[in-house]
């Protein structure tokens, strides 16, 4: 541990003592216990989102879109739509709308990872997703992980808002001793091993030098299923353990039957299983039909450099490219729809 990191850990400890916050001490104890019970890290791979640097708000980069997309182009599409709808609904100024639409036009044609409009820099950012694990699998939620104030199992209930939105990307963020130690461990993290092609490993090693400062993103929760080749994700990342539990419940009760075209007998069996799972209330593991599901705790980090957060790497893969996603719009806000059957 070099002097700089030792000073950061010491500063975090001093801040924790100064705050005299019993809840913070409980969270720290919980984190330390988890690091002993789940000593290894299981890397899932890259995730992508969007960050913005708006001088009107401050010099910091803040997340605009959650860092959960599986490909850079998915995040570009999210930024593309954000700019278009801001031009449509977020301004009455033709000059502002014109500048926003100019950025949209670029994103329709090119796989760009950064655009600027109206003094704001927008960037597609890259993170890595991982979970703690032991020989039995991935870490479940901790007792100190926050739950919704009102827990609903209704499929139509609104999910808890993503904690990514507005999150400040600050490498010096005082997240506590355990988080500080984790950042220390991730500072020189790079992909290794034969399962990664050489060009992927080279990109990863280069990022350690160009973007040396890790930032831990808000913890998420997901549903995973144990398969022949390990634990596989079932659905998107959720903000709380209960939102992930409801995702599993809704999958078994209705969604999977529609997606995978279950027959009536199988549909009924899974619907009954969903009710059995719901009755357990806070269960983080469920075995049904020889399928083992677990609610797991998912962590993410991204790298920061002198010019801000890391963007996609040359070795990151897209399965499709940019395209026109919305109808044409004039600077006065008039939308022009193409006649059906054209375009």
């Amino acid at each position: 541990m070099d002097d700089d990191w030792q000073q950061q850990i010491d500063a975090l400890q001093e801040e924790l003592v100064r705050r005299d916050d019993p809840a913070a001490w409980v969270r720290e104890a919980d984190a330390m216990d988890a690091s002993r019970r789940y000593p290894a890290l299981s890397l899932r791979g890259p995730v992508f989102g969007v960050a913005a640097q708006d001088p009107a708000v401050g010099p910091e980069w803040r997340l605009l879109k959650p860092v959960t997309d599986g490909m850079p182009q998915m995040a570009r599409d999210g930024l593309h739509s954000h700019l278009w709808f801001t031009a449509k609904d977020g301004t009455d100024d033709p000059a502002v709308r014109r500048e926003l639409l100019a950025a949209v036009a670029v994103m329709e044609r090119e796989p760009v990872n950064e655009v600027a409009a109206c003094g704001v820099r927008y960037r597609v950012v890259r993170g890595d997703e991982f979970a703690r694990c032991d020989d039995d699998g991935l870490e479940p939620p901790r007792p100190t992980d926050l739950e919704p104030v009102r827990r609903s199992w209704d499929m139509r209930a609104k999910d808890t808002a993503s904690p990514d939105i507005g999150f400040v990307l600050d490498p010096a963020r005082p997240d506590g001793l355990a988080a500080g130690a984790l950042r220390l461990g991730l500072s020189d993290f790079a992909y290794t091993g034969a399962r990664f092609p050489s060009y992927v490993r080279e990109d990863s090693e280069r990022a350690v030098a160009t973007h040396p400062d890790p930032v831990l993103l808000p913890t998420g929760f997901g549903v995973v299923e144990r398969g022949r080749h390990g634990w596989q994700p079932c659905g998107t990342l959720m903000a709380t353990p209960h939102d992930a539990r409801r995702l599993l419940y809704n999958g078994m009760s209705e969604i999977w039957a529609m997606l995978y075209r279950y027959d009536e007998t199988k549909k009924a069996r899974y619907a009954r299983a969903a009710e059995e799972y719901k009755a357990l209330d806070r269960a983080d593991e469920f075995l049904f039909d020889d399928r083992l599901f677990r609610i797991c705790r998912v962590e993410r980090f991204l790298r920061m450099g002198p010019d801000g957060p890391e963007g996609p790497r040359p070795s990151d893969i897209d399965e499709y490219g940019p395209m026109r996603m919305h109808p044409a719009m004039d600077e006065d806000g008039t939308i022009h729809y193409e006649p059906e059957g054209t375009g």
Side-chain angles (χ1 to χ4, degrees):
M1 181 182 296
D2 60 31
D3 290 342
D4 179 59
W5 274 105
Q6 182 63 61
Q7 291 172 7
Q8 291 187 47
I9 294 296
D10 290 345
L12 289 169
Q13 185 174 16
E14 291 174 7
E15 172 65 16
L16 195 60
V17 172
R18 185 190 66 77
R19 283 164 55 191
D20 191 24
D21 182 350
W25 282 108
V26 172
R27 288 192 298 271
E28 286 296 324
D30 208 11
M32 293 301 180
D33 179 60
S35 68
R36 289 189 294 269
R37 295 176 61 192
Y38 300 92
L41 298 183
S42 176
L43 177 70
R44 181 183 176 190
V47 283
F48 304 88
V50 179
Q53 186 184 46
D54 185 351
V57 178
E60 306 90 355
W61 286 87
R62 299 169 185 266
L63 292 181
L64 179 71
K65 297 287 183 180
V67 185
T68 55
D69 290 327
M71 295 183 293
Q73 189 59 46
M74 294 171 68
R76 294 185 197 111
D77 291 347
L79 175 56
H80 179 161
S81 287
H82 171 81
L83 295 170
W84 191 89
F85 280 104
T86 301
K88 175 179 176 290
D89 303 321
T91 182
D92 292 321
D93 187 333
V96 170
R97 184 176 289 117
R98 187 165 54 243
E99 194 166 346
L100 290 164
L101 292 175
V104 168
V106 172
M107 301 203 75
E108 290 177 339
R109 302 187 308 267
E110 305 172 33
V112 293
N113 293 321
E114 183 167 335
V115 294
C118 306
V120 181
R121 295 173 69 188
Y122 300 94
R123 181 178 296 176
V124 174
V125 298
R126 181 195 195 280
D128 271 297
E129 189 176 274
F130 63 95
R132 292 189 176 276
C133 61
D134 63 5
D135 293 338
D136 186 50
L138 306 179
E139 180 189 9
R142 300 173 186 170
T144 49
D145 287 326
L146 293 178
E147 297 276 14
V149 175
R150 296 179 179 176
R151 297 187 308 118
S152 170
W153 293 92
D154 188 340
M155 186 168 64
R156 295 163 297 184
K158 190 174 182 180
D159 294 331
T160 304
S162 171
D164 283 14
I165 307 303
F167 185 81
V168 177
L169 300 178
D170 180 8
R173 188 183 189 92
D175 290 326
L177 287 171
L182 180 57
R183 287 202 307 271
L184 170 60
L186 293 171
S187 62
D188 59 357
F189 167 80
Y191 295 168
T192 59
R195 73 186 181 105
F196 297 107
S198 60
Y199 60 90
V200 173
R201 297 197 302 268
E202 290 167 4
D203 272 358
S204 182
E205 292 165 2
R206 189 178 304 112
V208 174
T210 60
H211 295 79
D213 298 318
V215 174
L216 297 178
L217 300 181
T219 301
F221 303 87
V223 180
V224 292
E225 179 182 1
R226 172 170 272 172
R228 288 181 298 175
H229 304 291
W231 293 90
Q232 300 296 321
C234 303
T236 190
L237 195 66
M238 309 303 286
T240 72
H242 182 73
D243 287 305
R245 295 183 196 110
R246 191 175 73 230
L247 185 70
L248 176 57
Y249 169 75
N250 290 335
M252 290 190 294
S253 65
E254 188 172 347
I255 301 298
W256 296 350
M258 292 188 294
L259 285 178
Y260 306 118
R261 300 185 178 182
Y262 292 169
D263 61 32
E264 290 302 315
T265 300
K266 187 171 183 178
K267 180 178 178 180
R269 285 197 301 110
Y270 272 78
R272 287 194 299 270
E275 296 308 315
E276 292 172 9
Y277 177 67
K278 177 181 174 181
L280 298 173
D281 192 35
R282 291 177 180 263
D284 291 325
E285 192 164 283
F286 189 64
L287 177 64
F288 171 71
D289 209 17
D290 293 327
R291 302 176 69 179
L292 179 62
F293 300 98
R294 179 176 292 180
I295 307 302
C296 72
R297 197 173 195 276
V298 180
E299 301 186 64
R300 298 163 296 156
F301 81 101
L302 58 71
R303 292 189 170 278
M304 297 286 287
D307 190 43
E310 182 187 12
R313 299 171 185 172
S315 55
D316 290 325
I317 297 173
D318 278 317
E319 294 180 359
Y320 66 96
M323 67 185 78
R324 184 173 178 181
M325 297 173 55
H326 303 284
M329 187 190 312
D330 289 342
E331 64 179 32
D332 64 0
T334 301
I335 297 174
H336 299 274
Y337 296 96
E338 293 183 351
E340 188 174 347
T342 66

